[in-house]
Amino acid sequence: MIIIGERINGMYNDIGKAIKGKDPKPIQEWARRQEEGGADYLDLNVGPASPNKIEAMKWLIEVTQEASDLPLCLDSTNYDAIEEGLKLCKKPAMINSVPAEMPKMERVFPMAVQYGAEVVALAMNEEGIPKDADSRIALAAELVATADSLGFSPEMLYIDPLTLPCNVAQDHGPEVMRTLREIKLISDPSPKTVIGLSNISQGTQNRDLINRTFAVMAMANGLDAGIVDANDNELMSAIATARILLNKDIYCDSFVNVFINRNR
Ligand code: THG
């Protein structure tokens, strides 16, 4: 599974404060820590409190790139902030995200083609997040068809079935699993899938256990990428183990020592 580190998000106090006070240190420290933890991409989200989203995103990209060479996942609903950000990214980035709404898809997909970016697309539209798998899959099909009509390849597309906290939307769990499986049948080549993992446990007890259980379940149902806490060692170990059990990595004792028991 592709690991997208979730931690550089203005929703966290330390990051929100760092953005406001233009202090690069906490950002750069989290960039390095997540890379060490095993992140493949770094999600950058300026958070709800930043008044100037464009300037904040540009600053976040610049300071992050001073600390890490990882590709970036630009997490914003402000597409001007994303476009200005894409101009600064040293590596092809990921745009996070676009819903199945025509004007937004028409803004995002051509921009992604222009900058060689991947796209995270949400299984939701003007009416919100559907409860059942069939409606999510229908939205995913709409996203794939629209992307294709705008010259964007499904292989560069990561569909997010969207997860709500299990304490308020417990019945969504099995629907998300079926959505993950059936998204692979939409097209050939198929789109990829991604989930913002920590959403599933917001407001619950024992968050880490819920996160890692959900992660391996989703992986068994075909999940390709996750926006996750890359510094949760139990989670990262569970993901590494699931990769072996799903035959994505070769099992050997030295592998187990290096990747599963690391940092313990
Ligand atoms: N899908 C996509 N992008 C996303 C999400 C998604 N981006 C944002 C989010 N969801 C993924 N990132 C996070 C980051 C943090 C948390 C959840 C998801 C989180 N934060 C603590 C909380 O809210 O309890 C904050 C604690 C604190 O403030 O210290 O859980 O689903 N495409």
Side-chain angles (χ1 to χ4, degrees), residues 7 21 69 105 108 155 162 184-185 208 213 220 224 253 260:
R7 191 55 175 76
D69 291 327
M105 292 190 284
V108 167
E155 288 166 290
L162 290 170
K184 295 295 176 190
L185 308 175
D208 294 352
T213 304
D224 297 294
D253 291 336
I260 300 188

Side-chain angles (χ1 to χ4, degrees), residues 6 9 11-12 75 96-97 120 122 160 162 196 198-199 202 207 227:
E6 71 179 10
N9 188 318
M11 167 204 309
Y12 288 99
D75 189 350
N96 184 15
S97 57
V120 174
L122 310 176
D160 184 341
L162 290 170
S198 302
N199 294 19
Q202 271 174 329
R207 288 195 69 172
I227 305 167

Side-chain angles (χ1 to χ4, degrees), residues 53 75-80 82 96-97 104:
K53 308 269 185 234
D75 189 350
S76 177
T77 51
N78 182 321
Y79 297 130
D80 295 330
I82 288 193
N96 184 15
S97 57
K104 293 180 182 175

Side-chain angles (χ1 to χ4, degrees), residues 197-219:
L197 187 72
S198 302
N199 294 19
I200 191 73
S201 64
Q202 271 174 329
T204 69
Q205 301 283 315
N206 228 331
R207 288 195 69 172
D208 294 352
L209 177 60
I210 292 175
N211 288 346
R212 66 180 179 270
T213 304
F214 192 69
V216 297
M217 288 168 60
M219 287 174 76

Side-chain angles (χ1 to χ4, degrees), residues 181-197:
R181 294 194 298 275
E182 295 194 9
I183 279 174
K184 295 295 176 190
L185 308 175
I186 289 175
S187 61
D188 184 14
S190 70
K192 297 189 173 88
T193 51
V194 65
I195 276 181
L197 187 72

